[in-house]
Structures are given as structure tokens and as C-alpha cells.
């Protein structure tokens, strides 16, 4: 089993600053990101943003733990990379584009190498379900939260 990767794009009826603010509030992402079960901030930057975070996610076939390092580019992007965890590698990002009239395009991207052990659980249809679950929950969750 190779990489699991993909992205989801949603158009949100909310300004780019609001979308960015919600996504950058990593500590409270469990409220709207369905696959994310727990977040613990281990380190913050000079602006008090979480930069090193331990997460627990529901990957459908297994609960997956990861320590992620975040970087911020307000208001257009957020990126994270796994420093250690249950998967061999994990990289993700949010990219935001101002569409004008208080609307935003948000793109959630994820690329993971599940490694040998987790990869054995993710064969065939399970891989597609996990990819769709991880990508769809984040993008749709952000849209619902920002438009509320």
C-alpha cells in the first residue's frame, strides 16, 4: 500500500479571515473536524499559536496518534507535518482564497504514508473510505462552522 493523498475544496459563505481563524484554532478543531478526537498543545510560538500538537484521530480502521508541527501564513494558509506518530509520514495543509463578497475557497490537502502495519488494514475499498472520511470531514466541518 502506498500513499493516501487527496484534497477537498469547498466554497464558504464567510470571509477569508473567519475561515483562517477557525482552522488556525487547532485546539478547538475537535468541535468541527469529525475525524479528530483529541488535541493536546505541546508547544506554542511567540503569537501563542499551537506549533507542536499531539492529536488522536479516528481513521475508521484504527485510532491514529500523531505529533504534528504547524506553520502559519495568515490568512491564506496553514501547514503541518508529522514529527512522530502511528503513520510513517503525514503532511497536510489548508489553503484559503478570497473570492470577494465575503466568500472564501478553502482547500484541505492531506498526504500520508500509513506504513506497513496500518497499510495492511487499508486495502481496497477501505482505503477509499478512509481517504474520503479524512478529507471530507475537515472541509465540510470548516464550511459548517464558518457559515454558522
Amino acid at each position: 500500500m502506498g500513499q493516501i493523498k487527496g484534497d477537498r475544496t469547498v466554497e464558504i459563505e464567510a470571509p477569508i479571515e473567519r475561515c483562517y481563524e477557525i482552522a488556525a484554532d487547532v485546539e478547538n478543531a475537535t468541535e468541527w473536524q469529525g475525524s479528530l478526537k483529541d488535541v493536546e498543545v505541546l508547544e506554542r510560538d511567540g503569537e501563542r499559536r499551537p506549533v507542536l500538537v499531539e492529536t488522536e484521530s479516528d481513521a475508521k480502521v484504527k485510532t491514529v496518534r500523531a505529533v504534528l508541527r504547524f506553520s502559519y501564513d495568515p490568512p491564506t494558509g496553514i501547514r503541518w507535518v508529522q514529527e512522530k506518530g502511528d503513520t510513517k509520514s503525514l503532511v497536510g495543509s489548508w489553503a484559503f482564497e478570497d473570492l470577494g463578497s465575503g466568500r472564501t475557497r478553502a482547500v484541505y490537502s492531506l498526504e500520508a504514508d500509513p506504513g506497513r502495519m496500518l497499510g495492511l488494514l487499508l486495502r481496497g475499498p477501505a482505503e477509499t473510505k478512509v481517504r474520503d472520511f479524512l478529507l471530507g470531514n475537515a472541509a465540510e466541518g470548516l464550511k459548517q462552522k464558518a457559515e454558522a
Side-chain angles (χ1 to χ4, degrees), residues 101-134:
S101 302
R103 298 178 64 243
T104 304
R105 177 175 296 122
V107 180
Y108 180 77
S109 299
L110 201 60
E111 186 171 325
D113 182 339
R116 188 172 169 274
M117 295 306 289
L118 188 55
L120 291 173
L121 299 172
L122 295 174
R123 294 192 180 267
E127 179 185 354
T128 302
K129 283 183 180 177
V130 169
R131 178 186 299 114
D132 290 346
F133 175 71
L134 293 175

Side-chain angles (χ1 to χ4, degrees), residues 4-54:
I4 294 177
K5 59 179 159 181
D7 55 58
R8 280 292 192 293
T9 302
V10 290
E11 291 193 5
I12 302 172
E13 298 293 329
I16 189 172
E17 294 81 9
R18 172 153 172 77
C19 297
Y20 174 86
E21 179 184 298
I22 292 166
D25 184 11
V26 177
E27 289 172 274
N28 293 307
T30 55
E31 295 173 6
W32 56 270
Q33 196 169 331
S35 62
L36 196 58
K37 298 301 174 201
D38 189 43
V39 172
E40 181 184 347
V41 176
L42 305 176
E43 185 181 312
R44 294 180 185 277
D45 67 9
E47 295 179 42
R48 305 288 306 141
R49 299 176 298 199
V51 290
L52 192 63
V53 176
E54 185 170 6

Side-chain angles (χ1 to χ4, degrees), residues 53-110:
V53 176
E54 185 170 6
T55 65
E56 187 176 297
S57 299
D58 176 2
K60 287 292 192 193
V61 295
K62 181 183 187 319
T63 296
V64 177
R65 295 180 185 277
V67 175
L68 307 173
R69 182 157 305 271
F70 283 78
S71 58
Y72 301 88
D73 184 20
T76 58
I78 301 168
R79 181 173 159 75
W80 57 95
V81 62
Q82 175 182 279
E83 291 199 345
K84 65 181 180 179
D86 293 338
T87 57
K88 188 173 179 182
S89 67
L90 176 68
V91 176
S93 66
W94 281 106
F96 301 104
E97 179 186 349
D98 188 343
L99 298 176
S101 302
R103 298 178 64 243
T104 304
R105 177 175 296 122
V107 180
Y108 180 77
S109 299
L110 201 60

